[in-house]
Amino acid sequence: MFKTLQVFSVLGIPVHVTTNYPGWLIECLQESRGTHVVTLNAEMTMQAEQNPILAEVIQKADLVIPDGAGVVLYLRWLFWQKVERCPGIELAETLLQEIGKHLTDTKVFFYGGAPEVAAKAAEFWQQEIPSLNLVGNYSGYHTPEVEAQLKQRLTQLQPQVIFVGLGVPRQELWIAQNRHLCPDAIWIGVGGSFDIWSGTKSRAPAWLGNNNLEWLYRLYQEPWRWRRMLALPQFAVKAFIYRFTARGAI
Ligand code: UDP
């Protein structure tokens, strides 16, 4: 039985709510159901407002999870939903652990990050879960020739789970353009997760995450992000206006 998803609209962008995202993805995997997973946060929602192509890609994605605190607060505030945050990196980690325990034939591929980062992340996971079938990894910085090679490799290997860490919106657009290469695969945009897994960067301490302040840690680690982060107050203002002008059911 396919687990159901509830769909809500966050400023016109869909977000899917279920109590068990990893379970939903495992079902996709078992049924060879090609899936594009988007991890939605306030910043991405604001980008989608400015970028109709990104908005369309998110509309067409099979699973849009509430990755960011802003999205979760929005859902609680507008729809009175008891929604929990599902950070993309944690969903990816749970999926890898489940695959390593129960579905060890599953072929997994990492694509993205600075040179050596995807390889180091793969090395980390291979040590964590020796049964994991990591069939390949590619850095996210390369020439068009290497990109052609990558696509050929994906076509030959047919991995069933493909993590793409190129940042937003690059990874979402890339997945939408290339998912036909492995139509039965789960494709997940994982942002900077390879940086974390490879030890290049660290995640915010749990207490910051629990208080919806993970963004503050990112700002501390990467001060150059301040301009991008102006999207957060913008999102809050828009949510406030939306709350009193319309209720966003899809
Ligand atoms: N990246 C990449 N190729 C590019 C641009 C970026 O592989 O052409 C990688 C970068 O090295 C980093 C990730 O994409 O690992 C972006 O991480 P970030 O945390 O900025 O993601 P976002 O916040 O956009 O989800």
Side-chain angles (χ1 to χ4, degrees), residues 7-177:
V7 188
F8 295 94
S9 166
V10 175
L11 300 177
I13 299 295
V15 62
H16 299 136
V17 175
T18 178
T19 48
N20 184 359
Y21 291 101
W24 196 88
L25 286 180
I26 295 290
E27 274 188 27
C28 292
L29 198 53
Q30 286 168 333
E31 295 176 10
S32 301
R33 197 176 160 116
T35 303
H36 177 187
V37 184
V38 169
T39 63
L40 190 72
N41 59 24
E43 200 182 316
M44 196 194 280
T45 310
M46 290 294 91
Q47 282 197 41
E49 269 210 339
Q50 303 295 321
N51 181 344
I53 300 175
L54 174 63
E56 193 184 338
V57 166
I58 304 174
Q59 298 280 357
K60 287 187 178 159
D62 306 276
L63 182 66
V64 183
I65 65 168
D67 167 276
V71 168
V72 168
L73 293 174
Y74 183 101
L75 292 174
R76 289 185 188 161
W77 191 44
L78 254 91
F79 299 103
W80 300 92
Q81 291 296 308
K82 278 191 181 168
V83 179
E84 291 305 322
R85 216 183 131 213
C86 177
I89 186 166
E90 290 176 19
L91 178 60
E93 290 171 354
T94 307
L95 190 61
L96 286 169
Q97 279 150 0
E98 287 297 311
I99 289 169
K101 268 190 227 150
H102 308 295
L103 297 158
T104 49
D105 285 345
T106 306
K107 291 185 258 180
V108 179
F109 197 96
F110 286 177
Y111 169 44
E116 302 304 317
V117 163
K120 277 192 191 155
E123 213 176 288
F124 165 79
W125 277 108
Q126 203 63 81
Q127 275 176 10
E128 280 291 294
I129 311 178
S131 56
L132 209 55
N133 187 14
L134 280 163
V135 293
N137 62 76
Y138 261 73
S139 147
Y141 296 87
H142 45 58
T143 58
E145 291 75 35
V146 174
E147 167 120 3
Q149 221 181 64
L150 161 68
K151 290 180 188 173
Q152 207 177 10
R153 195 145 169 68
L154 286 172
T155 309
Q156 278 166 357
L157 285 169
Q158 289 299 306
Q160 287 120 313
V161 181
I162 303 165
F163 294 95
V164 182
L166 302 175
V168 178
R170 196 178 274 111
Q171 64 199 18
E172 282 69 33
L173 304 184
W174 196 88
I175 291 174
Q177 279 162 10

